[in-house]
């Protein structure tokens, strides 16, 4: 007589909550699901497991750490985080925090017993009439509410309804179980892959240090090295390889860097002395511009990777970044400081010693593509965009037409991507991998990466209108993974009717008029 | 004619610009307007970034398509090409920086020359919360605004003060101009398009809500 009625679960509540969870997870993971998932967005999705969320958070965290690949530490931490969630009260599982497990299809009585066993407290079921009153004050009230009949002021469920609810509930549980098994498989697979990846990095490092670096000139162009290179450089040799690959055509020595740095320091000193006296309104244009750029460097440093808190005033790399950029404006007054440079210098500083970072920075910016962009040389930029569009049309014709129909020109998204070499738009570890291959393949790879991004998100971009595409591409999703992106980049063919990037670009350089007529009208003025 | 009238009293799409010197808080104003939050770890904008929001102005739904441009002088040649067809603009300076105020004339010339002829511009003296470091008085800025036929507000992207107002007032003025016939949305390059009013009418009003919710998430 004391037994509680084995009431069918009122799963409307469950549904409501899982949908909320779904909303949250969808917002976070939309880009990941939409293009490939197919099933996920349409049907009310399963409640996301905390572990899954932890993984996302962790990946984002890894992204903002200095290009370190998933470390073992991080992974073990993640598995630890998982445990408390599993132990949480069964009642919570109904609310979408954790998908229902095997122990779920049981009635409130069993749950109650378990609860008592855990808390060591006996709960005497009050007589049915008095029970309702207690419900809102009991810690288990929510669970009880779900497991019981409808409130007294509502008509009771009919037998069929109760039966149907039970059946629907059972289906839900079966579904959840299936998902759980799938998830577990996925987790195991990810774990295996990470271990493999770590081992790969470790063994790659040995090869880079012992074999490749000592014989750089002889080996850099070999197939084996190029393939290893594509896999991503081990962080410990990354700076070194970048330096070697970028080269030092300009023959800058550390001593030369010191000279320009001290010049920059003098200028800062005199600037801070004069700026207090009068406005620069009436000063000569070149002086004003130079001084403005000194101010701007200061301003932009604090706005470079702000989430890392290392370049901001008082941060460990603040002065370094200031020095490299300041020295560069003295070294190349013809180029000066241009927004976007601070990101490039910052990434180099994270991977190289100060003087080496400067040398790589100056040489990198001396490449034709970078020089064209940082001088904001319109006609040259247009040629790069035009060449990009040739390969865009070749690789993604549908999306190309879609963009065309909105007059969405590549400058809208490419300017940010090219100026910062993706370091602002992609997670830092991923940006470093793009830099790796950029150092191997040159400017062509920057545009190939752009096409890779478009390919990765092609399905959702095809659904969007102008403003949404523009918003999406100027602020890419944060959970973009290197595996997915690099497989999309690999699928991009940099071949247009047997012409490679360099040839396409060269032919565009030849017939200027043709280009100006047909491409990127937005940049014409 | 009735058909046209129906459209006119419904949805519009306005292209808006946010322009002004580097570091005046253009992106932060946009972020505050859309997310109702201050973005304290803001990057600097390279090229252009975007935002969109549907606002209700006197019973009319107006979708703003906002182009948030880079502030550095060097990028001016790039950002200029984005002016075309803008119906409204926020011209932003920093009340704690004389230099950003002095640059206003240049920005204004560009906007008047390159955007639509009837572009409605609101001058925003941003960082109102930093009153202690003020280098530009309210009075002189409002005089400047008057002389140049600009609307004027002092804003704070930090506290949110006057941020929504700046966008809404600018949109309202454009609507007024359309109603008075001063602005013709039909004209090329007006920066104004009719919205998806017909669509909204056909489907349920819920669609419009879902759409604006989606926009805020972007």
């Amino acid at each position: 007589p004391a037994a509680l009625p084995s009431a069918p679960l009122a799963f409307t509540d469950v549904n409501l909550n899982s949908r909320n969870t779904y909303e949250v997870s969808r917002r976070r993971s939309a880009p990941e699901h939409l293009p490939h998932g197919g099933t996920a967005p349409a049907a009310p999705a399963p409640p996301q497991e905390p572990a899954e969320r932890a993984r996302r958070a962790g990946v984002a965290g890894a992204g903002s750490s200095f290009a370190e690949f998933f470390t073992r530490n991080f992974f073990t931490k993640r598995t630890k985080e998982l445990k408390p969630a599993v132990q949480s009260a069964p009642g919570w599982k109904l609310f979408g925090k954790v998908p229902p497990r095997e122990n779920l299809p049981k009635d409130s009585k069993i749950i109650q017993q378990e609860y008592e066993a855990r808390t060591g407290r006996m709960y005497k079921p009050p007589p049915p009439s008095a029970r309702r009153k207690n419900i809102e004050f009991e810690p288990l009230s929510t669970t009880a509410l779900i497991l019981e009949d409808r409130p007294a002021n509502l008509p009771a469920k009919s037998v069929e309804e109760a039966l149907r609810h039970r059946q629907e509930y059972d289906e839900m549980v079966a579904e959840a179980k299936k998902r759980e098994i799938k998830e577990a498989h996925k987790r195991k697979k990810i774990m295996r892959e990470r271990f493999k990846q770590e081992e790969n990095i470790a063994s790659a490092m040995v090869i880079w240090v012992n074999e490749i670096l000592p014989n750089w000139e002889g080996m850099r162009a070999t197939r084996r090295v190029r393939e290893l290179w594509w896999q991503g450089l081990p962080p410990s040799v990354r700076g070194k390889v970048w330096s070697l690959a970028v080269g030092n055509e300009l023959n800058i020595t550390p001593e030369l860097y010191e000279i320009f740095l001290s010049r920059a320091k003098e200028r800062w000193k005199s600037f801070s002395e004069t700026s207090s006296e009068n406005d620069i309104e009436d000063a000569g244009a070149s002086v004003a511009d130079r001084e403005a750029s000194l101010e701007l460097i200061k301003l932009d440093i604090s706005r470079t990777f702000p989430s890392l808190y290392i370049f901001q005033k008082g941060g460990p790399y603040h002065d370094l970044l200031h020095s490299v950029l300041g020295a560069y404006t003295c070294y190349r007054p013809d180029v000066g400081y241009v927004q976007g440079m601070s990101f490039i210098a910052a990434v180099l500083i994270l991977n190289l010693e100060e003087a080496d970072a400067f040398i790589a920075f100056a040489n990198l910016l001396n490449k034709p593509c970078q020089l064209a962009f940082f001088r904001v040389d319109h006609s040259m930029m247009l040629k790069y965009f035009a060449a990009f569009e040739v390969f865009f049309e070749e690789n993604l014709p549908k999306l190309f037409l879609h963009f065309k129909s909105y007059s969405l020109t590549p400058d809208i998204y490419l300017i940010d991507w090219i100026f910062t070499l993706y370091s602002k738009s992609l997670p830092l570890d991923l940006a470093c991998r793009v830099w790796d291959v950029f150092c191997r393949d040159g400017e062509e790879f920057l545009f190939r990466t752009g096409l890779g991004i478009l390919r990765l998100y092609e399905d959702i971009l095809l659904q969007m209108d102008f403003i949404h595409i523009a918003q999406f591409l100027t602020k890419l999703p944060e959970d973009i993974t290197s595996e997915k992106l690099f497989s999309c980049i690999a699928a991009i063919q940099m071949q247009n009717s047997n012409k490679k990037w360099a040839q396409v670009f060269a032919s565009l350089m030849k017939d200027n008029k043709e280009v100006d007529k047909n491409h990127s009208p937005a940049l014409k003025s | 004619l009735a058909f046209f009238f129906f459209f006119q009293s419904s949805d519009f799409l306005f292209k808006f610009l946010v322009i002004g010197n580097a570091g005046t808080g253009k992106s932060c104003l946009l972020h505050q307007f859309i997310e109702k939050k201050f973005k304290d770890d803001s990057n600097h904008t390279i090229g252009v970034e975007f935002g969109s929001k549907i606002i209700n102005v006197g019973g009319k739904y107006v979708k703003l398509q906002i182009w948030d441009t880079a502030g550095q002088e060097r990028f001016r040649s790039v950002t200029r090409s984005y002016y075309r067809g803008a119906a409204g603009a926020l011209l932003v300076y920093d009340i704690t920086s004389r230099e950003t105020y002095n640059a206003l004339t240049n920005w204004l010339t560009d906007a008047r020359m390159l955007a639509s002829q009837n572009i409605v511009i609101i001058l925003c003296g941003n960082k109102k919360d930093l009153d202690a470091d003020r280098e530009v008085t309210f009075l002189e800025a409002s005089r400047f605004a008057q002389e140049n036929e600009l609307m004027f507000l002092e804003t704070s992207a930090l506290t949110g003060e006057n941020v929504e107002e700046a966008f809404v007032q600018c949109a309202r003025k454009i609507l007024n101009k359309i109603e008075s016939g001063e602005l013709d949305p039909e004209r090329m390059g007006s920066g104004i398009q009719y919205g998806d009013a017909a669509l909204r009418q056909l489907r349920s009003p819920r669609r419009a809500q879902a759409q604006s919710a989606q926009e805020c998430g972007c």
Side-chain angles (χ1 to χ4, degrees):
Chain A
L4 292 165
S6 61
L9 290 137
F11 66 89
T12 42
D13 281 6
V14 179
N15 250 348
L16 187 79
N17 277 280
S18 64
R19 198 193 307 140
N20 289 344
T21 321
Y22 162 60
E23 285 298 334
V24 172
S25 61
R26 191 177 66 117
R27 225 169 287 143
R28 286 184 194 162
S29 63
E32 197 185 336
H33 283 298
L34 283 174
H36 305 283
T39 53
Q48 292 265 338
E49 232 187 300
E52 174 70 0
R53 264 180 249 156
R55 187 185 66 82
R56 283 187 204 293
V59 167
S64 51
S65 80
F66 315 141
E68 271 178 46
F69 278 76
F70 327 95
T71 63
R72 202 162 303 192
N73 277 348
F74 155 61
F75 191 70
T76 45
K77 196 168 144 210
R78 189 181 73 82
T79 37
K80 267 180 223 152
E81 275 167 33
L82 219 150
K83 277 179 192 157
V86 175
Q87 288 163 354
S88 70
W92 274 106
K93 293 177 182 174
L94 293 169
F95 283 86
K97 289 260 173 180
V98 184
R101 302 178 100 91
E102 288 135 283
N103 56 355
L104 242 191
K106 57 190 169 193
D107 58 29
S108 57
K109 190 180 155 198
I110 300 174
I111 291 174
Q112 183 60 46
Q113 281 166 354
E114 275 185 7
Y115 174 74
E116 281 157 9
R118 226 182 3 260
T119 56
R121 191 158 62 91
M122 273 302 283
Y123 169 75
K124 254 198 207 150
S129 58
R131 208 171 56 222
R132 298 249 176 259
K133 269 186 242 157
N134 285 346
I135 278 169
E136 12 174 343
F137 307 107
E138 276 298 323
L140 272 177
S141 60
T142 45
T143 310
L145 202 64
I146 288 168
L147 294 172
E148 281 183 29
D149 282 325
R150 287 195 176 131
N153 56 345
L154 293 172
K157 288 177 185 175
S158 68
V159 181
E160 300 109 73
E161 197 183 6
L163 218 68
R164 185 162 50 89
H165 283 179
R166 161 60 71 184
Q167 197 192 341
E168 284 171 330
Y169 170 73
D170 286 344
E171 279 165 20
M172 274 171 55
V173 171
E175 194 54 37
K177 229 189 261 179
K178 240 194 281 171
R179 263 198 309 270
E180 176 124 326
I181 292 168
K182 226 169 112 186
E183 278 291 308
H185 277 302
K186 217 164 105 190
R187 275 200 301 274
K188 248 188 221 159
K189 206 179 136 201
I190 289 171
M191 199 162 100
R192 268 201 308 272
E193 273 168 13
R194 292 219 173 127
F195 271 119
K196 219 177 102 190
Q197 209 168 2
E198 280 171 45
E199 272 166 28
N200 284 349
I201 290 171
S203 65
M205 199 187 74
V206 175
I207 300 172
W208 279 101
V209 172
N210 295 339
E211 295 179 44
I212 305 168
L213 289 178
N215 310 299
W216 176 249
E217 284 308 327
M219 285 186 80
R220 64 180 294 182
T222 61
R223 193 171 168 179
R224 178 167 161 249
V225 171
R226 285 177 64 84
E227 268 165 19
L228 199 62
W229 204 332
W230 174 272
Q231 307 297 321
L233 298 171
S236 53
V237 298
R238 180 166 266 154
K240 182 80 195 149
V241 176
W242 285 358
S243 275
L244 285 168
V246 170
N248 189 3
E249 259 189 334
L250 299 166
N251 289 318
I252 302 171
T253 59
E255 291 73 34
L256 196 66
Y257 167 64
E258 289 302 329
I259 291 168
F260 284 112
L261 180 57
S262 61
R263 245 185 241 178
K265 281 179 174 160
E266 267 166 44
R267 201 175 281 171
W268 293 329
K269 227 171 89 191
S270 68
F271 174 59
S272 58
E273 277 160 11
T274 54
S275 70
S276 52
E277 284 165 23
N278 55 351
D279 300 331
I280 53 168
E281 208 176 348
D282 303 321
S286 64
V287 179
D289 195 39
R290 203 169 57 217
E291 293 187 342
S293 85
L294 286 181
E295 274 291 277
L296 195 57
I297 290 174
K298 253 196 248 164
L299 178 71
D300 282 352
I301 286 175
S302 65
R303 304 191 290 172
T304 304
F305 298 122
S307 55
L308 294 182
Y309 298 110
I310 51 172
F311 296 107
Q312 286 58 49
K313 195 138 192 105
Y317 289 114
H318 172 271
D319 292 347
L320 267 180
L321 186 52
H322 200 190
S323 298
V324 169
L325 292 172
Y328 183 77
T329 55
C330 291
Y331 173 67
R332 287 301 289 267
D334 60 320
V335 182
Y337 170 74
V338 184
Q339 290 190 318
M341 282 184 181
S342 65
F343 283 92
I344 296 180
V347 174
L348 289 169
I349 284 168
L350 290 174
N351 287 283
L352 285 161
E353 292 297 314
E354 183 174 354
D356 292 330
F358 177 79
I359 294 167
F361 182 71
N363 280 285
L364 193 63
L365 264 48
N366 201 44
K367 308 262 174 213
C369 175
Q370 274 58 48
L371 215 49
F373 275 78
F374 281 109
R375 280 181 166 154
V376 197
D377 177 341
H378 258 186
S379 61
M380 282 294 280
M381 282 164 76
L382 282 171
K383 283 186 190 90
Y384 281 105
F385 297 145
F388 173 82
E389 285 198 301
V390 168
F391 291 95
F392 186 2
E393 189 171 16
E394 176 87 20
N395 282 277
L396 307 160
K398 237 165 86 189
L399 193 64
F400 178 78
L401 284 178
H402 185 64
F403 279 25
K404 270 264 139 113
S405 73
Y406 287 114
S407 312
L408 200 145
T409 48
D411 50 285
I412 282 176
Y413 46 94
L414 276 184
I415 285 181
D416 177 272
W417 294 353
I418 303 296
F419 268 91
T420 64
L421 304 177
Y422 295 94
S423 54
K424 180 168 163 273
S425 35
L426 293 178
L428 194 49
D429 57 341
L430 192 43
C432 284
R433 276 205 62 188
V434 170
W435 282 43
D436 290 345
V437 190
F438 164 58
C439 287
R440 190 192 80 169
D441 293 358
E443 64 186 36
E444 156 181 346
F445 190 73
L446 295 178
F447 297 93
R448 194 178 176 193
T449 301
L451 292 172
I453 293 172
L454 295 181
R455 190 191 159 96
L456 177 58
Y457 296 113
E458 183 176 19
D459 292 346
I460 24 174
L461 290 170
L462 281 169
Q463 308 297 316
M464 293 179 177
D465 62 1
F466 175 88
I467 187 69
H468 289 107
I469 298 171
Q471 272 177 293
F472 186 91
L473 292 179
T474 51
K475 200 179 215 164
L476 292 172
E478 283 163 24
D479 56 0
I480 184 168
T481 67
S482 59
E483 293 80 16
K484 278 186 189 153
L485 178 61
F486 270 79
S487 69
C488 283
I489 296 174
I492 296 294
Q493 294 300 316
M494 292 307 265
Q495 192 100 289
N496 174 264
S497 51
N498 287 329
K499 280 205 265 180
K500 297 193 165 177
W501 169 268
Q503 291 163 302
V504 169
F505 188 73
S507 68
L508 284 165
M509 290 290 281
K510 263 186 240 159
D511 43 22
N512 295 349
K513 281 171 196 164
E514 192 67 23
V515 180
D516 283 337
K517 233 189 301 174
N518 293 331
H519 294 280
S520 296
L523 270 184
K524 269 187 282 177
S525 49
Chain B
L1 191 73
F3 186 65
F4 179 68
F5 184 75
F6 160 76
F7 265 91
Q8 215 176 24
S9 62
S10 301
D11 264 358
F12 289 104
L13 189 149
F14 293 167
K15 175 175 173 178
F16 264 43
L17 298 171
V18 188
I19 52 175
N21 271 20
T24 51
K26 295 179 292 298
S27 299
C28 287
L29 279 173
L30 177 61
H31 193 263
Q32 173 66 255
F33 173 58
I34 288 173
E35 305 284 340
K36 300 254 170 285
K37 262 185 270 172
F38 178 64
K39 195 171 176 14
D40 58 357
D41 60 347
S42 188
N43 283 326
H44 45 282
T45 305
I46 316 288
V48 59
E49 288 173 14
F50 296 85
S52 69
K53 191 172 177 174
I54 294 175
I55 53 171
N56 186 328
V57 187
K60 282 176 190 126
Y61 288 99
V62 176
K63 181 170 177 175
L64 300 183
Q65 181 195 90
I66 305 156
W67 296 53
D68 169 27
T69 62
Q72 194 187 8
E73 175 69 35
R74 190 75 68 96
F75 280 100
R76 200 79 81 87
S77 55
V78 172
T79 53
R80 267 188 192 123
S81 62
Y82 300 136
Y83 285 30
R84 198 182 335 169
L90 270 72
L91 173 54
V92 188
Y93 71 95
D94 170 0
I95 67 154
T96 71
S97 159
R98 193 80 208 165
E99 196 196 329
T100 65
Y101 177 75
N102 291 335
L104 290 177
T105 325
N106 284 335
W107 288 107
L108 206 55
T109 316
D110 268 11
R112 289 257 153 86
M113 208 163 65
L114 300 163
S116 86
Q117 248 178 341
N118 290 302
I119 186 168
V120 173
I121 302 172
I122 183 162
L123 181 65
C124 296
N126 196 30
K127 309 197 188 176
K128 185 176 196 285
D129 49 286
L130 299 176
D131 200 60
D133 305 321
R134 182 187 281 277
E135 287 184 5
V136 183
T137 67
F138 182 88
L139 199 67
E140 61 182 323
S142 62
R143 205 176 293 138
F144 176 86
Q146 217 162 28
E147 282 163 12
N148 292 283
E149 293 174 47
L150 309 170
M151 291 185 286
F152 173 54
L153 276 177
E154 281 194 344
T155 58
S156 168
L158 180 74
T159 66
E161 190 180 347
N162 279 342
V163 174
E164 171 114 19
E165 286 80 352
F167 286 92
V168 171
Q169 281 188 24
C170 194
R172 184 176 295 131
K173 181 118 179 227
I174 296 168
L175 275 179
N176 289 343
K177 279 189 165 189
I178 292 171
E179 269 159 22
S180 71
E182 204 179 324
L183 253 177
D184 179 11
E186 300 276 281
R187 210 175 50 80
M188 274 286 288
S190 66
I192 301 158
Q193 283 170 35
Y194 296 116
D196 52 355
L199 262 168
R200 177 130 47 87
Q201 188 75 1
L202 280 173
R203 299 180 193 181
S204 64
R206 239 180 290 150
R207 194 184 170 271
Q209 277 170 17
Q211 200 180 3
S212 67
Q214 184 195 345
E215 248 119 53
C216 293
C218 282

